[in-house]
Amino acid sequence: MEDRLQKILSAAGVCSRRQAEAYIQQGRVTVNGRPAALGDKADPQRDTIALDGRPALQPKARTVLMLYKPRGVVTTLSDEKGRPTVAGLVGEARGRVWPVGRLDMDSEGLLLLTDDGALTNALLHPRHEVEKEYLVWVTGFRPGAEGALARPMTLDGQPLRPAKVRLVRQGAGRALLSVVIHEGKNRQIRRMCAQCGLAVTRLKRVREGSLSLDRALAPGQWRPLTEGEVSRLRRETFLQE
């Protein structure tokens, strides 16, 4: 639950509320790496609050899960339309973790869920350029279409970083492509393919950064990340251990 920073710091025994206000005004307090302002709020269960660059609260064990999101499931914790959600798949972890980014309802594959706010922000921040790799099954394929998909293009009037595209295999008017992007715009790969005259029939995220989808997981299954996997993600996003 969110609360004012000075109240959080005081309740944790770091300092008095008045002293916390002074620290904030002096620019000594950050939330998830960003300087805080007086009046800012944070959630001590989700956010990393630091004083003079060091964690101000007693560190807690963080949870990071790898889920194989199946098609037909929305990437939210609740849905007003009553559709199945990723929260319903992670069982006992419900209420403690949230999804890192999104996979649209018609897509499947690797989805991270965590209660670590700093890791979430680091993985999603554009400056870290965390790669996301997808396997994309398309129709309407013609020789050279993979090259067109890798050229610079725009969505909603904004330029995209060129994708890395590799032809995995092809048939009569069909193909399986590997597409690597950094951004995560709404239905980005489907819209990119549409611009090149390709229709996506299946889309599966298989990698985020150095982390690949565990082949032992069936759709709807999940497992906690190992300490080594979490450490690699944190190093890739320049978070201190």
Side-chain angles (χ1 to χ4, degrees), residues 5-16:
L5 282 172
Q6 58 264 40
K7 184 176 179 180
I8 294 172
L9 293 170
S10 175
V14 176
C15 56
S16 68

Side-chain angles (χ1 to χ4, degrees), residues 35-36 44 50 63-64 73 86 110 119 121 143 147 180 187 189 195 214 239:
T63 299
V64 189
V73 175
V86 295
L110 172 62
L119 181 60
N121 291 335
V180 178
R187 300 177 72 85
I189 290 180
Q195 288 190 26
D214 191 329
L239 287 174

Side-chain angles (χ1 to χ4, degrees), residues 87-215:
L89 297 176
V90 295
E92 66 255 34
R94 173 185 280 185
R96 298 193 296 113
V97 295
W98 56 85
V100 180
R102 292 183 178 273
L103 271 177
D104 67 60
M105 186 173 181
D106 298 323
S107 300
E108 63 186 283
L110 172 62
L111 180 69
L112 296 177
L113 297 100
T114 186
D115 59 0
D116 189 331
L119 181 60
T120 299
N121 291 335
L123 286 170
L124 296 179
H125 200 290
R127 75 170 179 267
H128 294 145
E129 298 186 347
V130 178
E131 289 189 341
K132 301 175 183 66
E133 181 179 2
Y134 300 79
L135 291 178
V136 188
W137 287 257
V138 299
T139 58
F141 183 81
R142 61 196 182 284
E146 70 274 22
L149 193 60
R151 287 198 291 267
M153 59 179 65
T154 61
L155 285 181
D156 302 323
Q158 296 182 340
L160 298 176
R161 290 281 304 277
K164 299 177 185 177
V165 184
R166 177 173 58 89
L167 177 61
V168 179
R169 63 174 181 265
Q170 68 179 98
R174 297 176 178 271
L176 172 60
L177 305 171
S178 164
V179 180
V180 178
I181 60 174
H182 296 97
E183 300 99 336
K185 296 184 181 298
N186 185 40
R187 300 177 72 85
Q188 178 174 335
I189 290 180
R190 295 178 187 275
R191 296 165 67 192
M192 290 169 58
C193 287
Q195 288 190 26
C196 298
L198 304 173
V200 176
T201 60
R202 184 182 177 190
L203 192 152
K204 178 180 180 180
R205 184 156 67 200
V206 294
R207 180 172 61 86
E208 185 161 353
S210 64
L211 185 67
S212 295
L213 179 63
D214 191 329
R215 294 185 178 183

